[in-house]
């Protein structure tokens, strides 16, 4: 059960995602080294991580970012408490609690370390403008790992990240996240398209080359990426049927103005 519950939200199906980590996204798979770069047109996301923890990747950091953003957006506070136990927190993220070397508790701890210790740079470059914003998600965090107990674990979000999500975090449907959370690529496509169509005023075409820079830098060949993107787009459309988007083998993605998912599915 993916809940991401937030008692103050008016609609239990609405949660929030930060624009900065949706326009350009985190790694899908484990990455060698301590630097990761993702590009989307003029926008570039750069992530640096200490070598002892490595870069965050996969589904868990994405769910964490949505959970953190939702709690901060609704409560309007920089300090976020994680609850009393790992089991309860994992339930909030929709993940079954399992122990052992490869269990979900160990994976959660690893990804939280990476996510909270990395430094994020978001830049935009054009002919007449060079703009950059650097941030960490949290200035201070205390995560107590004692058996199943998180005790008084908390995050104190950085002013830059809190300001960014307060200003620009956008609503998404938690039921779609629940259905797509097995795949980081499917989650990324859903989040990006939900944001993109909200701002879209006329049809557009996005080339395969540009889509791969944004989503698929870890695919060795473009046709591998095209196949994966097309497959996951169909999954996204199954939870967001109002989305008007088609893949063209030669051109890329045809995208049309569509009813926003939150308004169409949550009311």
């Amino acid at each position: 059960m993916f809940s991401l519950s937030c008692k103050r939200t008016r609609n239990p199906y609405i949660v929030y995602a930060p624009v900065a980590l949706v326009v350009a996204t985190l790694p899908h798979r484990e990455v060698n080294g301590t630097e990761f770069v993702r590009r989307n047109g003029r926008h570039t996301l750069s992530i640096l991580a200490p070598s002892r923890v490595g870069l965050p990747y996969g589904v868990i950091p994405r769910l964490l970012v949505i959970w953190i953003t939702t709690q901060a957006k609704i409560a309007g506070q920089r300090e976020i408490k994680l609850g009393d136990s790992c089991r309860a927190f994992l339930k909030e993220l929709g993940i079954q609690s399992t122990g052992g070397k490869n269990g979900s508790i160990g994976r959660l701890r690893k990804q939280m370390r990476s996510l909270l210790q990395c430094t994020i740079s978001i830049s935009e470059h054009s002919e007449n403008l060079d703009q950059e914003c650097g941030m960490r998600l949290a200035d201070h965090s205390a995560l107590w790992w004692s058996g199943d107990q998180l005790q008084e674990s908390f995050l104190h979000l950085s002013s830059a990240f809190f300001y960014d999500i307060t200003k620009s975090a956008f609503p998404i449907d938690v039921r779609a996240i629940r259905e797509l959370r097995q795949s980081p690529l499917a989650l990324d496509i859903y989040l990006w398209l939900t944001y993109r169509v909200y701002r879209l005023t006329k049809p557009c075409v996005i080339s395969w080359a540009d889509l791969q820079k944004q989503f698929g830098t870890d695919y060795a060949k473009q046709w591998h990426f095209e196949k994966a993107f097309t497959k996951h787009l169909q999954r996204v459309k199954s939870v967001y049927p109002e989305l008007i988007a088609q893949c063209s083998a030669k051109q890329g993605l045809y995208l049309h103005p569509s009813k926003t998912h939150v308004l169409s599915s949550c009311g």
Side-chain angles (χ1 to χ4, degrees):
M1 174 76 176
F2 191 90
S3 59
L4 276 176
S5 64
C6 194
K7 294 180 180 179
R8 299 188 189 182
T9 186
R10 295 171 60 186
N11 189 315
Y13 296 121
I14 293 178
V15 291
Y16 293 89
V19 172
L21 295 178
V22 168
V23 172
T25 61
L26 300 171
H28 293 157
R29 304 183 181 94
E30 187 171 9
V31 177
N32 292 326
T34 59
E35 181 180 11
F36 177 79
V37 177
R38 188 88 85 184
R39 293 183 175 87
N40 178 2
R42 297 179 302 176
H43 299 273
T44 300
L45 171 72
S46 301
I47 306 174
L48 291 174
S51 58
R52 66 182 180 278
V53 296
L55 291 156
Y57 65 90
V59 167
I60 290 177
R62 287 162 167 80
L63 299 181
L64 283 168
V65 166
I66 294 170
W67 186 86
I68 291 168
T69 301
T70 301
Q71 304 304 311
K73 179 79 172 178
I74 298 299
Q77 298 178 357
R78 290 171 61 183
E79 186 163 308
I80 298 172
K81 293 183 178 180
L82 273 65
D84 296 327
S85 72
C86 289
R87 191 179 304 276
F89 184 57
L90 284 165
K91 185 178 181 180
E92 279 287 283
L93 296 176
I95 301 170
Q96 183 179 359
S97 176
T98 57
K101 182 178 179 181
N102 298 314
S104 59
I105 293 175
R107 289 185 287 114
L108 172 68
R109 187 176 186 181
K110 179 182 186 305
Q111 294 300 330
M112 286 192 76
R113 280 176 172 171
S114 297
L115 186 65
L116 294 174
Q117 294 185 44
C118 71
T119 300
I120 298 169
S121 171
I122 301 146
S123 58
E124 179 180 351
H125 304 284
S126 64
E127 183 178 352
N128 300 312
L129 174 68
D130 290 311
Q131 183 170 277
E132 192 272 342
C133 175
M135 69 179 78
R136 287 164 55 97
L137 266 65
D139 288 331
H140 181 203
S141 63
L143 307 177
W144 297 91
W145 305 91
S146 177
D148 185 50
Q149 299 304 307
L150 284 172
Q151 299 179 9
E152 294 298 319
S153 296
F154 70 91
L155 311 175
H156 188 78
L157 302 186
S158 70
S159 58
F161 182 65
F162 183 71
Y163 174 78
D164 184 75
I165 60 179
T166 300
K167 178 183 68 173
S168 62
F170 64 97
I172 53 177
D173 190 332
V174 72
R175 293 169 292 187
I177 303 299
R178 184 187 303 159
E179 293 297 320
L180 301 172
R181 65 184 175 85
Q182 298 301 322
S183 165
L185 179 56
L187 282 175
D188 287 349
I189 294 170
Y190 168 73
L191 293 170
W192 172 66
L193 287 175
T194 300
Y195 170 71
R196 188 74 170 82
V197 299
Y198 178 74
R199 301 164 58 89
L200 194 64
T201 58
K202 61 182 180 180
C204 67
V205 181
I206 305 164
S207 71
W208 284 119
D210 286 342
L211 287 169
Q212 187 170 10
K213 288 178 184 176
Q214 182 179 351
F215 294 106
T217 53
D218 42 3
Y219 288 85
K221 296 185 180 297
Q222 183 171 296
W223 71 269
H224 289 161
F225 168 72
E226 292 175 14
K227 183 177 180 180
F229 186 94
T230 302
K231 171 187 172 183
H232 288 299
L233 177 62
Q234 294 308 309
R235 292 186 61 199
V236 169
K237 291 174 72 173
S238 72
V239 299
Y240 183 1
E242 296 82 6
L243 177 67
I244 307 173
Q246 299 88 27
C247 288
S248 164
K250 293 184 178 180
Q251 299 297 321
L253 178 68
Y254 284 87
L255 188 59
H256 299 261
S258 307
K259 186 182 292 186
T260 60
H261 192 219
V262 168
L263 292 179
S264 62
S265 62
C266 294

